[in-house]
Amino acid sequence: MATASSLLSEEKFLCSICLEVFTEPVTTPCGHNFCSACIHKYWDGSDVCQCPLCKRTFSQRPELLVNTFISELAAELKTLVQIKGPATDPPLPGTAAILCDFCSEMKGNAVKSCLTCLMSFCEMHLEPHQRVAALKSHTLLDPVNNLDDRMCKVHNKLTELYCRTDQTSVCVMCMKTDHKSHNVVPIEEEFEVVIAKKDDTMVNLKKMIQSWSKKIAEIENSVDVSQKEAEREKEASVQVFTDLIRSIQRSQAELVEVIEERCRATKQKADRFLTDLRMEVADLQSRSSQLEQLSQSEDHHQFVLTFPNLCSPLNKDWTNIGIHCDLSFEAVRGAVDLLKQNADQILEEVPEIKMKRMREHAVDLTFDPDTAYCSLVISQDGKQVVNADTEQNLPSNPKRFEVCPKVLSKEGFTAGKFYYEVQVKGKPKWFIGVVRESYERKKPIGMSPKYGGWSIGLNKGSYYACTEQIADITLKEKLQKVGVFVDYDKGVVSFYDVNSKSHMHSFTGFHFTEKMYPYFYLLTYDNGTNSAPLIISPVLQTH
């Protein structure tokens, strides 16, 4: 009769989802059992309600109840396992995951691995190796989980030798074939050599650990110092700007007060003049009325005596009297505007601030296939271009470059500022910049401003700007991405290393009158060494 332990083999009570002994087992309509939580979680993560084992699909999620019979058996199994406990001593550190290869059901932890059998054994199944004479000669070692790696994949023999030439373990057949002329020794001999170096290696490792630990401490200390300096600098900068803002606000308030006071004084003066003028006008109107009445009177005597008084001079001559208020403060505004410009120029010397302000003028560009040389291939999204080194049969177009692998962007600009970035990573030859709309496209031409081009590039291992006299550009690292900034109104074209946020070159003092187009020159294919694309990169806004 079967024993309880044989009937309650763990494999029969493992959930196929979590691979653990059932917890609250439920049975699906197709007859398979799972943990309640496991099957519900499985269905929650799927659009289709089906059995994980037989893949039977249910039109709607079935209502599952706990299978009490299986639940009781699973609980009994767990109790037996707890009573039985571990069959062997606790495994060595790092070997907990290595199980006995001989156990059929409840696998115990391995205590030894056999290099001859290529198997790992628990305490019970290791017993024959300690008793049988033929097995006592086998090589045993602490449990390892890579026994298959110790077999030669070519000759299916144990790798008992070490090739010093190739620094790899080999079998006896390998020594006679691929490693015939190599320095091959027994792996135990190499072990003795290596173990002899262990002490020196440990000393060196300790020295490196101490050195790197010291370096870590230095870096951490530098970070702390940097953070403290940053806090001090931030506080000092905030205080300076706060004082400046307060000073400007105070000056603004004082200036506004002066303007308002002058305006009030002018109004008061004007009010006094208006009062006097209105009185004069009233007096003149009275004289005019009296004169009109007297002229119609028959009392000539009275008219003659009164007329001189009616014609007497006015009290004041208002002809040259006017109101003027000096409200012009152009000098003040000019000084404040100059202060702002100076502050902006000083702040733009900080690379991060300069890059942030340029990126505010970022434009979305795409390569223009109507201008592309016949060997250039543009990606579907218009953001990448490569030189395929194969001329295509393209329709004639007055805008197309017909001599060199060049291309323009679809977008052109006639005013304002614009900025874009181009990835040049892995490309040993290229030129990037802007050209005017009338730039020559049908025959060879230079790329300097003399010919209507403003560009920089890499050729023959050197970076330079295309000026009348070639201007070398010195960089610490290879360019990965180029930023191009154009101020059309000021006639400035500048180039930046995006990664380091450093300025490389600027063309200044020009007067642009035509539409300006971003310009890309891929140069020759060079047997594939210059096949990497130029990529118009999305501009990441910094905050």
Side-chain angles (χ1 to χ4, degrees):
M1 183 174 178
T3 62
S5 60
S6 64
L7 287 172
L8 294 173
S9 64
E10 186 177 3
E11 293 178 354
K12 298 176 182 179
F13 293 92
L14 294 182
C15 171
S16 60
I17 297 177
C18 67
L19 301 179
E20 299 288 346
V21 177
F22 288 123
T23 301
E24 295 186 354
V26 294
T27 305
T28 60
C30 55
H32 294 112
N33 299 300
F34 308 95
C35 296
S36 177
C38 292
I39 187 62
H40 284 100
K41 185 177 181 181
Y42 178 82
W43 284 342
D44 290 341
S46 174
D47 295 332
V48 180
C49 183
Q50 64 179 5
C51 174
L53 288 177
C54 67
K55 304 302 181 182
R56 176 179 170 183
T57 302
F58 309 112
S59 58
Q60 60 182 12
R61 182 179 295 194
E63 182 179 354
L64 303 179
L65 300 177
V66 175
N67 188 321
T68 55
F69 177 72
I70 296 179
S71 180
E72 291 171 359
L73 290 177
E76 186 176 349
L77 175 65
K78 291 180 181 178
T79 303
L80 285 173
V81 171
Q82 290 175 354
I83 293 173
K84 183 178 179 182
T88 61
D89 294 332
L92 294 171
T95 63
I98 302 174
L99 301 178
C100 175
D101 294 320
F102 219 80
C103 291
S104 60
E105 296 180 352
M106 295 289 291
K107 289 184 177 292
N109 290 323
V111 294
K112 290 292 181 180
S113 294
C114 177
L115 289 182
T116 307
C117 301
L118 292 179
M119 294 182 71
S120 296
F121 300 96
C122 65
E123 183 99 26
M124 182 176 67
H125 292 118
L126 182 65
E127 187 271 337
H129 278 75
Q130 300 167 337
R131 176 174 49 84
V132 179
L135 298 179
K136 286 183 178 181
S137 62
H138 288 191
T139 303
L140 299 177
L141 70 163
D142 289 333
V144 292
N145 58 5
N146 60 342
L147 288 174
D148 289 342
D149 294 341
R150 302 184 183 228
M151 291 293 292
C152 175
K153 300 298 187 293
V154 178
H155 304 106
N156 198 29
K157 290 184 176 294
L158 189 65
T159 53
E160 299 177 298
L161 304 173
Y162 183 80
C163 176
R164 289 174 173 172
T165 305
D166 293 336
Q167 295 185 340
T168 185
S169 57
V170 296
C171 71
V172 291
M173 295 301 295
C174 292
M175 183 181 67
K176 297 176 181 179
T177 55
D178 295 341
H179 301 265
K180 186 175 182 180
S181 59
H182 293 182
N183 184 6
V184 179
V185 297
I187 203 146
E188 289 79 6
E189 181 180 336
E190 184 64 18
F191 171 77
E192 295 298 331
V193 172
V194 172
I195 202 69
K197 299 177 181 177
K198 185 200 71 168
D199 292 340
D200 290 340
T201 303
M202 290 294 293
V203 170
N204 291 334
L205 288 174
K206 288 180 180 178
K207 288 182 179 178
M208 290 180 65
I209 291 171
Q210 291 174 351
S211 178
W212 295 155
S213 298
K214 183 178 178 181
K215 179 59 66 175
I216 289 171
E218 289 178 2
I219 293 174
E220 289 176 341
N221 182 63
S222 297
V223 171
D224 291 339
V225 171
S226 176
Q227 288 178 337
K228 291 176 182 178
E229 289 181 353
E231 287 298 323
R232 287 196 297 269
E233 185 62 31
K234 184 170 66 175
E235 291 176 4
S237 298
V238 169
Q239 187 60 50
V240 168
F241 276 92
T242 300
D243 293 343
L244 176 61
I245 291 169
R246 287 175 179 170
S247 176
I248 292 175
Q249 288 176 336
R250 183 174 65 251
S251 299
Q252 180 189 35
E254 290 173 348
L255 182 61
V256 169
E257 185 179 355
V258 169
I259 294 172
E260 290 176 346
E261 181 59 34
R262 288 189 184 184
C263 187
R264 281 195 299 270
T266 300
K267 186 176 183 304
Q268 291 174 358
K269 184 178 180 180
D271 288 343
R272 290 195 299 271
F273 285 166
L274 289 173
T275 299
D276 293 344
L277 271 171
R278 290 190 180 101
M279 291 178 62
E280 291 283 354
V281 169
D283 183 44
L284 290 174
Q285 289 176 340
S286 175
R287 291 188 188 191
S288 176
S289 177
Q290 293 179 41
L291 186 59
E292 180 64 27
Q293 291 178 1
L294 288 174
S295 66
Q296 296 177 4
S297 172
E298 295 181 358
D299 189 351
H300 298 168
H301 180 270
Q302 182 65 27
F303 180 82
V304 171
L305 294 177
T306 305
F307 183 79
N309 293 332
L310 296 176
C311 296
S312 61
L314 300 176
N315 295 332
K316 189 173 183 179
D317 184 5
W318 296 90
T319 304
N320 297 320
I321 292 178
I323 297 298
H324 175 70
C325 178
D326 184 11
L327 297 178
S328 175
F329 292 92
E330 290 183 5
V332 175
R333 291 197 300 274
V336 173
D337 186 57
L338 182 60
L339 174 63
K340 176 181 176 299
Q341 292 179 20
N342 289 338
D344 286 343
Q345 290 176 357
I346 292 172
L347 284 174
E348 286 188 357
E349 292 181 5
V350 180
E352 292 84 353
I353 294 177
K354 178 66 175 178
M355 186 65 70
K356 178 179 180 294
R357 292 185 176 181
M358 287 192 303
R359 284 175 167 171
E360 292 173 354
H361 302 282
V363 292
D364 186 17
L365 301 181
T366 51
F367 292 111
D368 184 0
D370 290 340
T371 66
Y373 181 70
C374 60
S375 68
L376 299 184
V377 178
I378 298 173
S379 63
Q380 189 172 359
D381 63 357
K383 299 296 184 180
Q384 299 189 33
V385 60
V386 295
N387 186 355
D389 199 37
T390 301
E391 294 189 359
Q392 308 167 80
N393 186 16
L394 300 176
S396 177
N397 193 310
K399 298 193 298 182
R400 189 180 308 284
F401 287 99
E402 295 185 355
V403 178
C404 300
K406 303 178 181 180
V407 62
L408 303 182
S409 70
K410 290 181 180 179
E411 298 76 18
F413 304 88
T414 57
K417 302 173 182 178
F418 62 94
Y419 174 83
Y420 62 95
E421 294 177 356
V422 184
Q423 180 178 309
V424 297
K425 182 179 179 180
K427 193 166 185 63
K429 294 182 179 182
W430 51 266
F431 284 92
I432 294 170
V434 292
V435 296
R436 61 192 179 197
E437 188 172 22
S438 62
Y439 185 75
E440 178 61 52
R441 309 182 193 198
K442 306 302 179 183
K443 60 183 180 181
I445 191 172
M447 293 179 287
S448 68
K450 175 182 178 181
Y451 302 101
W454 292 260
S455 62
I456 69 165
L458 168 63
N459 194 15
K460 297 180 180 179
S462 298
Y463 296 98
Y464 56 88
C466 298
T467 56
E468 298 307 318
Q469 300 293 327
I470 296 298
D472 291 331
I473 298 174
T474 303
L475 301 174
K476 293 181 179 179
E477 297 181 355
K478 285 186 177 181
L479 273 175
Q480 305 293 314
K481 191 179 292 185
V482 179
V484 184
F485 178 71
V486 179
D487 188 333
Y488 187 100
D489 301 328
K490 290 185 177 180
V492 175
V493 181
S494 299
F495 298 87
Y496 294 84
D497 179 347
V498 174
N499 288 359
S500 67
K501 298 181 177 60
S502 58
H503 173 259
M504 295 188 292
H505 184 79
S506 285
F507 295 89
T508 60
F510 293 92
H511 178 61
F512 299 143
T513 57
E514 297 183 35
K515 182 177 285 190
M516 304 294 288
Y517 286 90
Y519 160 87
F520 312 87
Y521 183 11
L522 282 76
L523 277 80
T524 55
Y525 183 75
D526 280 356
N527 294 322
T529 60
N530 192 34
S531 61
L534 289 179
I535 303 174
I536 298 174
S537 302
V539 176
L540 302 176
Q541 297 297 334
T542 53
H543 301 282

